[in-house]
Amino acid sequence: MPPEWDAYEWEAIGRERASDTTKLIRVVGAVAPIKTRGKYKGHPNWDKLEKDTIRTAYFTPDEHEAWLVQWEQKTGKCAECMGSGERSVGWSAAGGTRYKPCEKCGATGKTANEAVEKVFS
Ligand SMILES: [Zn+2]
């Protein structure tokens, strides 16, 4: 996948009951142009994603966790919101992407791992 490839949707599958452990994480992503103006400047424009770059990947929870940690170390961004400070909470062709502030990083978009390093170094 090219570096511009980003995930826009993920879902834990294999959980029929709340007590079930997650068996697999389904991640869907694509390459999308970055918005250059407007309220969501800097966000991928999922309304104009390149349809032939849509890929679905499956991870085990351990693999997914490892991938997110690696991604945070590589980018210094919060994996929850992909560094935007806002988490996309849904996407549809009709309504576009909906966002709400990311709770994990306090809407800063920075990884918590980096914050911890700063405190102790
Ligand atoms: Zn975040």
Side-chain angles (χ1 to χ4, degrees), residues 68-94:
L68 287 181
V69 168
Q70 212 180 41
W71 190 88
E72 287 195 340
Q73 284 169 349
K74 190 178 76 179
T75 62
K77 293 176 183 176
C78 168
E80 184 74 22
C81 60
M82 309 312 265
S84 65
E86 289 172 313
R87 223 156 44 84
S88 67
V89 290
W91 178 84
S92 70

Side-chain angles (χ1 to χ4, degrees), residues 1 5 8 27-30 51-57:
M1 284 299 111
W5 191 90
Y8 63 82
V27 177
V28 187
K51 290 196 169 63
D52 58 346
T53 65
I54 297 173
R55 295 286 184 281
T56 303

